[in-house]
Amino acid sequence: MGSKTRVGAPLNADIVYLTIRGSRLTPKVIGVTPSAPAGPSAIDALTDQRVHVVVGSAYVETFYPPTPVGLLVVAGRTINPLYKQGMSTVLAVRSGRLVLMSKEEYIASRVEGAFQVGPQLVKSGQVVYMGSLQFEPLIVDPRKQFVYSQKSQKAEEEPRATRAFVGFRTDGTLILGVSVQPVRLSDLALFVATKMEFGGLGCSEAVNLCGGGSEVLAFRTVRETQSYGNRTLRQAALLTFVRAGQ
């Protein structure tokens, strides 16, 4: 179910990711609530036999207890209000599907679960997070499929951190991933946007969830549970996937 790949320069990191296709798994946001203020950990979430995948987390103001930065909706109930300054993207479950939406779209929507995330890395197939870098399109074959060449000499100024991310392909496939080693967000954005035939993940949309030690990807296989990142840290919000029909 999971894939681990070593990505060369400029990323230079192991990326662990899952691909979720079709309607086999249903997304669900879990997190702090008035009755459970300590928040869930990934390993706690997987004790529920219905849960097969956990990825996260949301940004927090404090870890003890975990307090979300910005919006948190659990089971259709708003636990924390929308943060209107910055963090322009909302990761939401709407009508049983995982979607990315702007804050303006969220205000007009009814969702089952949601939390604010960012920055957005890829939009409409184009890298939109560049940090201190600048990119120019480089045509690598006659079909005009683009990767990006790095121009800037300021790459080392951008901080590195371990990261969790979610990507969307045009065919509806979801990509859930973490970087095992610290990476620059601009390099991660380039990797997830680059087409699969050129060694990337081929995402048309992608967003950073968190980083710096709170990121986690855990999943259940036939034989065992695998986890990468901080599986025991109690989180303000996590995105889980439940087997459809359970």
Side-chain angles (χ1 to χ4, degrees), residues 44-239:
D44 289 339
L46 285 173
T47 60
D48 184 339
Q49 294 298 309
R50 297 170 298 175
V51 176
H52 288 259
V53 181
V54 183
V55 66
S57 65
Y59 286 106
V60 296
E61 292 183 6
T62 61
F63 280 107
Y64 305 104
T67 305
V69 174
L71 179 69
L72 175 60
V73 178
V74 176
R77 180 181 179 184
T78 300
I79 306 300
N80 209 56
L82 190 71
Y83 185 63
K84 296 183 179 180
Q85 302 296 321
M87 297 183 69
S88 61
T89 308
V90 173
L91 184 66
V93 179
R94 183 175 61 189
S95 302
R97 296 179 63 245
L98 191 66
V99 295
L100 280 181
M101 58 177 65
S102 67
K103 290 186 290 188
E104 292 74 21
E105 289 173 314
Y106 165 74
I107 291 171
S109 300
R110 298 185 65 178
V111 300
E112 297 96 72
F115 54 97
Q116 277 180 271
V117 292
Q120 188 159 356
L121 306 176
V122 182
K123 187 173 184 178
S124 301
Q126 301 294 312
V127 173
V128 292
Y129 181 86
M130 298 184 183
S132 60
L133 304 180
Q134 295 179 353
F135 297 92
E136 63 180 359
L138 173 68
I139 299 175
V140 295
D141 76 1
R143 294 171 295 175
K144 298 185 181 297
Q145 299 185 34
F146 293 90
V147 295
Y148 290 82
S149 63
Q150 188 173 305
K151 294 170 59 179
S152 177
Q153 300 300 311
K154 300 179 181 179
E156 294 306 321
E157 297 177 9
E158 188 181 349
R160 292 177 178 267
T162 47
R163 302 287 182 181
F165 63 93
V166 173
F168 299 75
R169 290 177 180 158
T170 55
D171 65 358
T173 299
L174 296 177
I175 306 294
L176 315 175
V178 294
S179 64
V180 178
Q181 289 86 27
V183 298
R184 291 185 293 257
L185 272 179
S186 54
D187 294 334
L188 182 61
L190 174 61
F191 171 63
V192 298
T194 298
K195 293 182 181 298
M196 289 180 284
E197 56 263 44
F198 304 128
L201 294 181
C203 295
S204 59
E205 310 284 333
V207 68
N208 177 68
L209 298 186
C210 63
S214 60
E215 71 289 332
V216 66
L217 175 65
F219 51 93
R220 194 189 308 278
T221 69
V222 174
R223 297 181 179 179
E224 61 183 354
T225 296
Q226 296 184 26
S227 63
Y228 299 86
N230 200 331
R231 67 177 186 170
T232 60
L233 181 66
R234 293 192 174 276
Q235 309 275 15
L238 291 167
L239 177 63

